[in-house]
């Protein structure tokens, strides 16, 4: 896949996202010793001690959000959160952001004002200075954020350090953002009373929390690997396992399923929503998935407790296969987020 | 315009690009002392001496390029050049880039390979490490580059330092990129023999040169203000004048019109192409426009000569009106690039 294509007509949908990323990473080539370019949440370069973290991530109308249920402020906030989460997952502190807004000419200025509101709100929340950007014209709205951060004095946390015997842990609860997206796209949020559970679920989709301070508190405990859960637990765990060349045994009963997602599933009935499957495969929760010496899990819980950030130990790193309960991880991985895979319209 | 809109229905096309930029800059607010956020080619922040330059710029299919006449490599190269030029215009050295590629699912992988080729070719040319990025899905192809650079030891060169009596100078020749776009969009490049002049013109449009080494050579001469000519001489000069709160007297006879553009105009005949107007208003030449003590113009020519970079002194900074020959600058400014202004299809 990396070296050659079967046909000049091969499209990115044929190739799929992770294969395309691998192809691009291969072209970019390996970084100098001590740097980290592709293949992690953010790039790390050794410019000016202690170096610099760089990341970029875009939200595109019709792909990452719909103006029917996302306000401008939601979109701006989430674009910042996604980037801040990437810096956090390296153990770093986000510092500065620059932003390209691509706008259709008929975009209302009020929507642009909203996007700025959300960007600045997120900047204030995580102390990120929004220092500039550019405007472009496009047929759909998109917000492309690039962020610079500084690494923790103890160094960066990468995806490739998981060791056999490490505990696999995840912060918070999973599946809420995906549950919120279901509710919004199916119109469940508008029908019936907007109860507290539904409000929290849609908020997890629209206004995700980036674990910036939590990640920095974790770094002092030396997690062996870390990633943010942006494309779904199964997909992001698979990335850690592949980078670290290890296997895992995950106990599905230990996976922290969002309580509001469980309530939603119960309210819908008839198995319409599968909470565990959603927690394993739903994206955009922006929780931290990390591996750590099992002796330090209790300390991690103690350190993150004051941040209102529970830590669940969901399994262990092994030298064997990649297992979730009785299944291979691949089964869930296939259901995670892939930008280019054909899928039904929402 | 900045404070309030006449109607909630006002669109970005109603407001226009520079007014929208001013509105956003107002919202972002002023930077701490010694920093430069919005309102210049790149942002400058005081993180780790001697500080950091940050910029971002995107190329969007249908707005900034057409796949009918731009190869993937052209697009990748130009996206890098536009950002490198912004860092150069602050007198800085571009160091690292991260890139979002937004792709339609049916985009051929060969096009993506081409974009990478162009990005890496530009990276090699200006010694910029491409360290990471992200993929997204969109209905059209776009390349969003964010670039980090380091300022010159002598400090940054901003837009706001032009002083009455300074010479107004521009590097290279103007109008070539716009002439190349005319030739490509009108199909002139395909009809008739592809002579050397046409090849150079289309290359100026498709593979612009960022004056990275030239700008660094200039900084030692302490230009009082500098900007890259990306949206047209009149528009970019107006930005310098507004930031510096000065006027100008420009002699149109001294404006360096691209020789190949003149040849194109002659070949087309009938006044179809106006070389001087194109040189004054055409965008994307990525030349450097700077103001400098008149006593140093000769030195600037001597310093840039070895870079194959002519310097034209086109006028002077005044405390009066903004004049190009017998006209007010506004007349030409109106014809420069505005992303959101309604305009005929090419």
């Amino acid at each position: 896949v990396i070296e050659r294509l079967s046909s000049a007509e091969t499209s990115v949908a044929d190739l799929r996202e992770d294969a395309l990323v691998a192809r691009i990473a291969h072209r970019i080539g390996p970084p100098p010793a001590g740097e980290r370019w592709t293949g992690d949440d953010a790039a790390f370069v050794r410019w000016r001690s202690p170096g610099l973290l760089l990341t970029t991530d875009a939200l595109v109308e019709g792909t990452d959000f719909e103006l029917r249920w996302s306000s401008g402020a939601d979109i701006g906030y989430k674009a910042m959160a996604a980037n801040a989460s990437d810096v956090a997952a390296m153990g770093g502190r986000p510092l500065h952001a620059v932003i390209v807004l691509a706008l259709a000419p008929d975009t209302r200025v009020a929507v642009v004002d909203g996007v700025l509101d959300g960007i600045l709100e997120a900047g204030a929340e995580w102390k990120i200075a929004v220092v500039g950007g550019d405007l472009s014209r496009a047929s759909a709205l998109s917000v492309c954020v690039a962020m610079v951060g500084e690494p923790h004095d103890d160094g960066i946390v990468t995806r490739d350090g998981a060791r056999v015997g490490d505990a696999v842990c995840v912060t918070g609860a999973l599946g809420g953002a995906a549950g919120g997206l279901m509710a919004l796209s199916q119109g469940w949020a508008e029908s019936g009373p907007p109860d507290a559970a539904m409000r929290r679920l849609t908020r997890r989709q629209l206004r995700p929390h980036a674990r910036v301070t939590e990640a920095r508190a974790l770094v002092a405990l030396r997690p062996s690997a870390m990633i943010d859960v942006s494309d779904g637990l199964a997909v992001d765990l698979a990335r850690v396992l592949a980078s670290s060349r290890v296997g895992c045994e995950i106990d599905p009963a230990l996976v922290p399923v969002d309580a509001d997602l469980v309530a939603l599933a119960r309210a819908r009935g008839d198995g319409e929503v599968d909470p565990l499957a959603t927690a394993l495969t739903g994206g955009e929760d922006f929780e931290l998935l990390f591996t750590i010496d099992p002796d330090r899990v209790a300390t991690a819980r103690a350190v993150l407790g004051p941040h209102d950030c529970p830590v669940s130990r969901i399994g262990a790193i092994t030298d064997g296969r990649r297992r979730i309960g009785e299944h291979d991880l691949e089964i869930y991985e296939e259901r995670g987020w892939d930008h280019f895979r054909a899928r039904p319209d929402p």
Side-chain angles (χ1 to χ4, degrees), chain A residues 6 73 87 89 97 119 123 129 155 173 184 192 197 231 248 252 271 274 276 291 321 323 346:
Chain A
S6 51
V87 173
I119 286 170
L184 290 163
D231 292 341
C248 72
D274 179 337
L276 178 60
T291 60
R321 293 168 62 184
R323 305 282 290 173

Side-chain angles (χ1 to χ4, degrees), chain A residues 61 67-68 70-72 101 103-116 141:
Chain A
E61 181 183 352
L67 284 167
R68 276 170 290 157
S70 294
S71 71
L101 297 182
L103 307 168
D106 64 354
T107 305
R108 285 181 301 121
V109 175
V111 171
V112 182
D113 285 347
V115 172
L116 248 286
L141 177 62

